[in-house]
Every structure is written in C-alpha cells, then in structure tokens.
Amino acid sequence: MAKHETPLLDELEKGPWPSFVSDIKREAASRAKNEKNVEFQIPAEVCEDLLGVVELSYHEGETHWKHGGIVGVFGYGGGVIGRYCDQPQQFPGVAHFHTMRVNQPSGLYYSTDFLRQLCDLWEFRGSGMTNMHGSTGDIVLLGTTTPQLEEVFHELTHKFETDLGGSGSNLRTPSCCLGMSRCEFACYDTQAICHEFTNVYQDFLHRPAFPYKFKFKFDGCPNCCVASIARSDLSFIGLWRDNIRIDQEAVKAYIGGEIPPNGGAHADRDWGKFDIQKEIIDLCPTKCMWMEGDTLKINDKECNHCMHCINAMPRALRIGEDRGCALLLGAKAPILDGAQMGTLIVPFIKVEPPYDPIHELIEKIFDFWMEEGKNRERVGETMKRFGLAKYLEIMDLKPDPRMIKEPRANPYIFWKEEEVPGGWDRKIEDYRSRHQM
Amino acid sequence: MAFISSGYDPKNPMKDRITDIGPKHYEQFLPPVIKKNFGKWLYHEILEPGILMHKAESGDEVYTIRVGTPRIMSVSTIREVCDIADKYCKGHVRWTTRNNLEFMVDSKDLVEPLKQDLTSRKHTGGSYKFPIGGTGACMTNIIHTQGWVHCHTAATDASGTVKSVMDDLFDEFQHMRLPAQLRVSMACCVNMCGAVHCSDIGFVGYHRKPPIIDHYHLDNLCEIPLAVAACPTAAIRPVKVDLPDGKKVNSVAVKNERCMFCGNCYTMCPAMPLSDGSGGDGLIIMVGGKVSNRISDPKFSKVVVAFIPNEPPRWPTLTKTIRQIIDAYSKDAHKYERLGEWAERIGWERFFEKTGLEFSWHLIDDFRDPAYNTWRQSTNFKF
C-alpha cells in the first residue's frame, strides 16, 4: 500500500516511454522491502514522500521546493545544491532533499563495478534516485540530508577516487563529446583535454572566485554534440586545416547506391535514389565541390568545414590530418540580457599536451574577468561590454576577419591617439592662423 | 536508523581529508574494443534505428544499441543496467549527452539477443524500461531539467511534460523518417538549464504574473539592493512598508507593467515568489534552433507559441501543438533540412500558415536593441 495516493502521477505510468513515476515507485518498493537489510541513513520513505509532494504539485500547479539553502562540504563552495520541501510535516522523508553533483568521467563511459558501488552508496546514504546525467554533465545524486553530505563526500573521495562537480559562481564541471573513443570525426582527443583541464582547474571548480559561472565544453568537430557553441563560456570545437581525405571508390559506391548516405540515417523513408549533385554538391555552403566524370573534386581552400559532406558520406570523406580546434568565447542562455552564441576568438590552435598556449590564454581570460566582470556577469557579457576589438587587444589576440560575420556598418571607430599622425593635442592658435573666426 | 560513520570526523574535518582530485580517469572505464581502437575509427553505419556499427582501421567492429531513458534513474534500474552490461557488454556501458544509454558489443551475434532482452523489459505500469531508438533522422531523447521533482523556480513539471511528449511521438524516436535529426529540449523556467535556446523545438515553463512580495520576510531573507539590481527592466524599487501590526519594515515594490516575468528577482530574493497554479503559469514553445555548424550557422530558437496552459498530468495542448509543428516540418522540408532551415527557406509567414499556429503581437521581439533586427526591413515577403 502506497503511503500517498497518486492518481495524477499514475496516469504517467501509461504509454511506451520509460515512466519516471514507475521508476520512483520501484525504488520506493525496494526501500519498503529492504531485502538486503540496508541501514538507511535517510528516511526509508523518501521516495514515497517524493511521489507525494510531486502529486501535490500536479494538483496545485506549483512547485513545493524551497529556495536553496547554504549547505555543502567543508572547504568547498560548490557541488551541493541545498533543497528543502515547503511541506515538511506532510512529507518528512523529503524535508531535506539536497542534491550532490558528482564529477562524471570524460565521455560518460562506466564500468559496472563503479556503478554498482555508487548505487550501494546512494541507497545507503541518499534517496536512491539519480539523474544520469545533469544538464552540465555531472552524475546527479538527488536527495539526501545535511548530515550525510560529508559522509558521502568522504566515501566518494576515499573509496571512489571521485570528486564533486561545480555549482554557483565556480568553474562548472567541464564536459566533452565522446571524441576519439568512438567517433571518426573527432579532430582532437576531447576526453584527454577535458580530464586534464578538470584537474588543472580544481581550485576554481570547488571555490567560488568568479563573478558568475564559467563553463568549458569540448566538441570534437563542428557537429557540436555537446552544444559547446551555445552553452559554454569557452567552447573548443575541433577543426582541420588541410584537405578532406577522399576515397573515390567509396564515392562511386555512394553514387551507385551500394552504401546508404549519411550512415543510413534516413532509412525509414523513401527519399529516392542518392543524388550526389543535389544532396552534396548543391548543399555545400561554399560551393567548393564538383564532379569531374565520376571523380569528386574539392577545392579545400574554400571549404568552411561545415561537416555536411563528411556526415553524408562518412565512408568516402574523412577529416583532414592537420588538426586542432577553434576557440569561441561567451555563449550563454537568455538569462538575463539575451542569449549569446560563442564568438570566435582563436580560429585554430593545436590541441596537444601539455596545452601550454591554451592555458596561457585561459589565465588571461580568467584574470581580466575576475578583475573587471560585474557581479553575475558572464564572461561573454563582459566581452560585449568592452567590445570585441578591445577584448582581443586585452587578450593579446590578433584581429582576424574570420572573427566577424561582417565589418562594422557605422564609422564610429575609437581611434587611438598613437595611430593618428601628430597625436590629439593641437593648438587653436595654429588653427586660427589658417581659419578666421 | 543508527548513524553510521564513513570515517569522517566532524570534530576534525581536515584529518585524512582528500580534496581536489577530480573525476576518475575515463580510460579505466573504456570497453576493450574501444580502448584498442581509440582514435582509429574509419566510419560508422546505422544498421537500423537505435543500432550503430563503428568500423575501425584494424577491421574491428563495435555495435552500439542506444536506448532512451527518462534521465531520472533509480539505483534499482541502474543495477539492472549493470546486469545487462555484465551479461552482454563485458561490464561496460555509457550514457550519451542526451541522456540515452548505450550498450556496446564487439560481435554482431550479440546484437539480436541484446535487442530482444532490452525490448522485453518493462516497468510494472507497462512502459518500456529500455526503448531502442534515437539515431539518425529521428527525434531523439528530450534534454530536460528538474521541474516539480526538484526545482524551486519551476513553472511546470519537466519529467511529466517530457513523458507526455515522448509517448505521443514515440514512433519518431523509433523511426528515421524525418528530413533531418530533430533535437527537442525542455526547461522548466526561462533560466533554461539545458540547450533549449538552440534546439529544433524547445518547450519552456513560463510565469505570467509579477512576483508576490512577502513584506513579512523580505528584509530578513534578501539583500534589498541585490533584489533591486536583479531586475533587467528596473521595475523594482526599495520602499518602507507598514505591516498590519504597526511595524515598519524595509521592502520592495514592483511596477507590474514593467515586469517581463523572467524570475531573476526570485533567484536573488526568496521573498518574491512568482509561481501561480491558478492559470498564470504554463509553457511557451520555441523552434528553429540548432548547435551544429552543418550547412548553415548555429541558430537560436524563436518563440512561436506564446502560451500553453499547464494541464497535468498529460499536457494535451502541449503534445498536440508539438505534433502539429513536427507534422508540418516532416511533410514540407527537404532531406537534410533542419527545422530552422526549413522555416527560413519558406519564410516565417509560411511557417505559421503551414503549421496552423496563430501569430500574435506576443511573438514580435521588443527586448533590447537586437529586437530591431528581427523586424522585416524589405519587401521580400510572400502573400
């Protein structure tokens, strides 16, 4: 017998998509039964009460979680999100329901040993409910009480060799696509740099020193599977500078219909026979491809690496061999003054350990933002406030036409005095000697 | 329930303390075939919806079965995932950035039994535990936020709206018949945790009433200057208020006609709640964003439905409206064309005509300078 009636949530057990209600009920039943005699360190009925409070929200159309609460582990200013229920008498099991963000391994691969240990820990010291994964990429452990925070942290660091992730005005947990581990498009090792940077910048990750949050995201190619260009303050997007490698035999096989285009991604609809002119050459944004007989030609100098032809013919076309990444700064969601995409500040840089030139730039970005950024101003907003030209100068980066969509349409240039012959100090007497009043 | 110590001593927190170690190194989690062929992959194929084959230079093949999850996952279900991974995948498994699970096997012979096994597992309520799909020109898993399950600013539920939409469009998860991939995201308020602002379709929890001011608690809970500064439209000002008991307190006042319901004041000051279950709160729908650089530049999503009411538990208006958009796109777009590219090609006037969505003043941008550039400044439109 369930502790709370949940007629509205029960409706969400129907239908084919995996039901989160069924899953919470599953955990509630497992805790009620407690076959392994776990000495639960938080109330056994936590999942029952979670269902109860969510059902109440479904009736009333309002959330019942209180505004944060300053809880955490000693010495860290992030990684724990305090959460309290505003109906604790009715739902004592979730009166405290704090979240812990646990730093995920790069690429989100796991061994079952690790996962099972994590499950045992979270059943014992938490609600048994998780998010795999949170929006930023962390393993999210949902719901525990204040006294358990240090205990979980102690076990994570001592037994799991794993640390908490970021929250608040910290460096947020860096994340990456799966990169070279299983993708032929990866232009650099996203997992290696993500892991390395997570470790190098641990202090920023755990101790708030910034005006606001800061995110690193690593995309192996311009397909942007971790959305770095939209979601990270510093976005790393893999690129090549040389030529796309062509296997002309495979090109012929695509044209002949022996290999389905786009890896077979359109298989469930009849789009007609593959037409290389219509589907590849005409869709190329720079029109740098053409056929000579049955040979595909590419003027690589004009290619802008959009990935369409490579995505569409992965067996015939491969990324080039002179690889690195572009750096884009300042992406964010609309809160508060509107959404921003990342702006290109470095068109190409090699991504090779120990990554010294990248660290040098990051140091400048952090220093300037920590000095000049206003409270709750993302780095992209600081860059916007100063202007791209000024920002590049401060960062010691050379302006490049690749960094803009178009030149300015107004003439209001802030010339510098040293750029103008003779400087700005002029005598009115000299002027009057040439022009009467 | 006796307290059991992990070894941590609250009187001496620094004793044996381990900090700043970061995550466990990913290399120890890679399946053998992945580790062996790291950086040496030749190409991939999608054999059928949800099943990928990656071919390495060595000739090795890895077969991946992708399944959807609701992101919220109990330890009981994770243990079941581990049982499956132990049986078929040598004890390894991974998640995708869109909350799908991937089971990888190094032999084609294992694909069919694993597929059967995954499909046979259902929750007590009848839903699939591990539905296979989410590849190619399909609608893959919806990225979403916490909603009423865990968030204090949520204007709607995340898991429930996502479940309702995914149930309705389940066929699109399991088939690759759309013109291109369709990335759908959900955020439970306009803070937009997740990449809602650059998705083909995003639905976002939304408040429509100015904050209620809790004069009794405000000065104790909030820094008034921070609350005032939090407002992007300068609608908040400090005031002194006489409480009914005769006490005079410091508080704030809100010019309601200047409020754009962003909720930034509530983020800074818990004594200014916005949520409203009596018809104020609901959702908006945004479309046409993308993060990929393929063919055209990445794009922001645009608001095309200014309000959809909260209709728990199954949000019928939301699911119907999203289906309407997808049906029009699916019917009319060219192969490889993302939703935003389609809308730009046919023009937004046609977009509203073809989707049957109503256009109203709410959809015309009036926020800050960039709004001007979204108004038509040419005669290149269609009748």
Side-chain angles (χ1 to χ4, degrees):
Chain A
M1 179 63 194
K3 185 175 170 190
H4 306 283
E5 291 291 312
T6 55
L8 293 178
L9 288 181
D10 294 350
E11 287 299 311
L12 289 168
E13 291 204 85
K14 300 170 185 167
W17 187 251
S19 168
F20 70 102
V21 175
S22 299
D23 202 32
I24 301 173
K25 284 188 177 179
R26 177 184 192 175
E27 200 55 32
S30 161
R31 291 178 81 90
K33 241 176 160 180
N34 193 16
E35 279 176 339
K36 287 182 290 180
N37 292 315
V38 178
E39 283 216 56
F40 297 125
Q41 296 293 292
I42 77 163
E45 69 273 22
V46 53
C47 292
E48 302 264 17
D49 280 347
L50 177 61
L51 287 165
V53 72
V54 176
E55 177 75 12
L56 184 64
S57 286
Y58 270 60
H59 279 282
E60 296 177 349
E62 292 176 1
T63 186
H64 281 285
W65 299 103
K66 282 202 233 181
H67 209 282
I70 300 173
V71 290
V73 300
F74 187 77
Y76 277 16
V80 179
I81 318 297
R83 188 66 73 221
Y84 300 92
C85 180
D86 69 12
Q87 295 294 344
Q89 296 81 8
Q90 218 179 329
F91 308 107
V94 291
H96 297 211
F97 200 64
H98 311 318
T99 296
M100 300 189 80
R101 293 185 181 167
V102 178
N103 202 145
Q104 80 286 3
S106 290
L108 308 177
Y109 290 88
Y110 293 96
S111 69
T112 52
D113 289 345
F114 180 84
L115 288 174
R116 285 183 201 280
Q117 281 182 48
L118 197 65
C119 289
D120 291 347
L121 171 66
W122 196 239
E123 180 178 52
F124 174 44
R125 297 195 178 276
S127 70
M129 296 308 301
T130 74
N131 287 150
M132 297 297 282
H133 297 77
S135 291
T136 300
D138 298 278
I139 301 166
V140 172
L141 303 178
L142 278 180
T144 193
T145 57
T146 309
Q148 289 305 312
L149 298 172
E150 285 288 355
E151 306 299 323
V152 173
F153 180 68
H154 189 272
E155 299 213 31
L156 283 174
T157 49
H158 285 76
K159 295 186 190 152
F160 293 70
E161 296 162 45
T162 290
D163 209 330
L164 296 180
S167 65
S169 290
N170 285 14
L171 178 68
R172 297 302 183 87
T173 316
S175 72
C176 63
C177 68
L178 87 174
M180 291 165 73
S181 69
R182 205 197 60 201
C183 183
E184 67 271 29
F185 302 151
C187 297
Y188 66 94
D189 189 344
T190 57
Q191 289 166 284
I193 188 173
C194 184
H195 185 81
E196 168 76 11
F197 279 33
T198 305
N199 282 294
V200 168
Y201 298 106
Q202 279 289 296
D203 195 27
F204 286 119
L205 208 154
H206 299 304
R207 294 164 197 93
F210 293 148
Y212 203 9
K213 63 181 91 168
F214 193 101
K215 299 182 180 182
F216 290 130
K217 290 191 192 292
F218 303 91
D219 272 312
C221 83
N223 284 330
C224 285
C225 289
V226 284
S228 71
I229 199 165
R231 298 193 55 207
S232 60
D233 298 274
L234 189 59
S235 153
F236 297 69
I237 302 178
L239 288 177
W240 66 95
R241 282 190 296 195
D242 55 346
N243 297 344
I244 292 173
R245 290 172 288 167
I246 310 180
D247 176 347
Q248 297 290 355
E249 289 313 306
V251 173
K252 290 188 189 90
Y254 277 105
I255 295 171
E258 292 138 52
I259 309 174
N262 219 85
H266 295 81
D268 291 331
R269 177 149 151 193
D270 182 9
W271 291 93
K273 190 175 179 295
F274 175 70
D275 179 343
I276 195 166
Q277 185 67 39
K278 197 171 126 201
E279 296 187 32
I280 308 294
I281 295 172
D282 292 350
L283 290 181
C284 171
T286 65
K287 307 285 177 259
C288 69
M289 311 176 83
W290 69 98
M291 293 300 293
E292 276 181 25
D294 56 4
T295 304
L296 177 67
K297 296 282 187 183
I298 302 176
N299 179 4
D300 283 278
K301 195 165 185 309
E302 295 308 309
C303 169
N304 71 356
H305 336 95
C306 89
M307 293 297 295
H308 172 62
C309 61
I310 296 177
N311 286 329
M313 303 200 296
R315 285 178 74 167
L317 302 176
R318 299 178 72 194
I319 58 169
E321 291 179 305
D322 179 13
R323 300 172 199 155
C325 79
L327 301 178
L328 293 88
L329 190 86
K332 57 180 281 293
I335 285 284
L336 196 58
D337 273 330
Q340 291 179 203
M341 279 302 171
T343 294
L344 182 68
I345 59 164
V346 176
F348 188 85
I349 194 163
K350 284 281 182 185
V351 187
E352 286 159 0
Y355 314 106
D356 285 342
I358 301 177
H359 285 306
E360 279 163 31
L361 178 60
I362 289 171
E363 200 172 311
K364 279 186 212 157
I365 291 170
F366 283 176
D367 282 352
F368 180 69
W369 182 48
M370 285 156 70
E371 188 72 29
E372 294 289 340
K374 296 178 182 173
N375 183 36
R376 296 187 84 226
E377 183 178 64
R378 296 282 286 267
V379 72
E381 295 170 308
T382 310
M383 173 174 64
K384 196 167 118 184
R385 187 155 56 80
F386 280 80
L388 178 61
K390 184 78 189 161
Y391 191 78
L392 292 172
E393 184 190 328
I394 294 162
M395 291 299 120
D396 206 12
L397 294 167
K398 192 174 176 300
D400 184 308
R402 293 174 187 86
M403 296 170 181
I404 56 167
K405 282 182 198 146
E406 58 188 26
R408 66 193 309 151
N410 62 67
Y412 307 133
I413 301 166
F414 291 100
W415 287 99
K416 290 180 196 137
E417 187 170 13
E418 63 270 23
E419 289 181 305
V420 184
W424 289 343
D425 280 337
R426 292 181 288 165
K427 289 202 166 61
I428 191 66
E429 292 81 3
D430 294 345
Y431 183 82
R432 285 287 159 243
S433 71
R434 302 189 302 276
H435 306 277
Q436 295 177 24
M437 188 63 195
Chain B
M1 157 172 107
F3 184 86
I4 299 173
S5 170
S6 62
Y8 168 73
D9 176 5
K11 292 200 192 85
N12 194 0
M14 291 314 290
K15 185 169 164 276
D16 299 331
R17 195 168 188 83
I18 299 174
T19 67
D20 300 274
I21 55 171
K24 213 160 157 121
H25 199 277
Y26 57 92
E27 235 174 53
Q28 52 201 298
F29 294 135
L30 300 178
V33 62
I34 294 290
K35 201 169 179 174
K36 179 183 162 200
N37 297 291
F38 195 98
K40 298 196 163 64
W41 296 99
L42 271 180
Y43 64 84
H44 73 278
E45 276 173 28
I46 306 169
L47 303 178
E48 56 184 276
I51 303 186
L52 301 150
M53 186 278 288
H54 286 82
K55 181 96 173 173
E57 287 168 8
S58 66
D60 287 351
E61 291 174 347
V62 62
Y63 295 84
T64 301
I65 302 195
R66 183 177 292 172
V67 305
T69 83
R71 188 174 88 138
I72 287 187
M73 212 176 233
S74 68
V75 296
S76 301
T77 299
I78 298 174
R79 286 182 182 128
E80 189 171 346
V81 168
C82 291
D83 291 342
I84 299 167
D86 283 344
K87 186 167 173 195
Y88 299 94
C89 313
K90 299 181 176 158
H92 294 273
V93 67
R94 81 172 284 267
W95 272 263
T96 71
T97 53
R98 297 193 73 88
N99 309 126
N100 293 305
L101 260 168
E102 289 188 337
F103 294 95
M104 279 163 279
V105 295
D106 53 12
S107 152
K108 198 172 184 179
D109 298 339
L110 288 168
V111 172
E112 203 51 40
L114 174 54
K115 230 176 88 181
Q116 303 268 332
D117 190 339
L118 289 166
T119 309
S120 71
R121 294 173 190 256
K122 290 191 171 181
H123 281 294
T124 46
S127 64
Y128 289 105
K129 283 178 178 166
F130 306 110
I132 297 170
T135 55
C138 78
M139 175 183 137
T140 191
N141 204 347
I142 300 178
I143 289 282
H144 65 277
T145 56
Q146 301 287 17
W148 291 334
V149 172
H150 203 64
C151 185
H152 63 295
T153 65
T156 189
D157 189 34
S159 304
T161 52
V162 166
K163 162 77 174 148
S164 302
V165 173
M166 286 306 295
D167 277 343
D168 189 56
L169 291 160
F170 191 65
D171 277 354
E172 303 303 340
F173 177 78
Q174 296 209 307
H175 290 92
M176 305 186 292
R177 59 191 182 193
L178 295 172
Q181 64 266 53
L182 187 82
R183 298 284 177 259
V184 183
S185 306
M186 189 285 162
C188 53
C189 81
V190 295
N191 281 336
M192 297 195 199
C193 309
V196 170
H197 64 297
C198 293
S199 301
D200 293 285
I201 298 180
F203 47 106
V204 182
Y206 193 68
H207 301 294
R208 289 192 304 173
K209 293 189 184 179
I212 316 169
I213 303 165
D214 184 350
H215 298 303
Y216 297 95
H217 296 107
L218 193 137
D219 198 26
N220 293 328
L221 286 174
C222 316
E223 295 283 349
I224 288 174
L226 286 181
V228 170
C231 182
T233 62
I236 303 174
R237 66 181 193 279
V239 288
K240 294 225 185 277
V241 175
D242 294 310
L243 294 181
D245 64 6
K247 214 170 134 196
K248 209 176 187 70
V249 292
N250 294 319
S251 189
V252 299
V254 175
K255 218 172 237 176
N256 286 342
E257 66 276 16
R258 292 179 81 149
C259 180
M260 61 177 202
F261 319 104
C262 69
N264 202 46
C265 52
Y266 183 57
T267 295
M268 298 308 286
C269 174
M272 300 179 73
L274 280 88
S275 69
D276 182 79
S278 69
D281 291 351
L283 300 108
I284 55 169
I285 297 180
M286 306 177 74
V287 308
K290 72 186 191 83
V291 295
S292 161
N293 290 269
R294 185 178 188 172
I295 302 178
S296 65
D297 285 355
K299 301 175 201 302
F300 291 123
S301 315
K302 286 94 185 163
V303 181
V304 294
V305 179
F307 189 72
I308 285 184
N310 262 336
E311 297 168 322
R314 304 236 33 143
W315 282 271
T317 310
L318 175 71
T319 56
K320 183 180 143 275
T321 312
I322 290 176
R323 178 172 277 277
Q324 215 173 310
I325 297 167
I326 295 176
D327 284 350
Y329 160 68
S330 179
K331 212 169 109 189
D332 200 58
H334 296 164
K335 191 179 177 186
Y336 304 112
E337 204 167 45
R338 296 287 291 264
L339 199 149
E341 294 169 328
W342 166 64
E344 284 174 13
R345 175 173 60 80
I346 63 173
W348 288 97
E349 61 271 46
R350 272 297 174 269
F351 170 87
F352 284 97
E353 186 184 303
K354 284 181 191 273
T355 55
L357 299 178
E358 190 195 345
F359 185 80
S360 66
W361 69 267
H362 309 88
L363 307 178
I364 301 175
D365 194 357
D366 54 9
F367 183 64
R368 306 274 201 251
D369 283 354
Y372 184 86
N373 299 319
T374 67
W375 307 340
R376 173 92 68 195
Q377 282 120 22
S378 80
T379 55
N380 296 332
F381 57 84
K382 299 174 180 177
F383 289 107

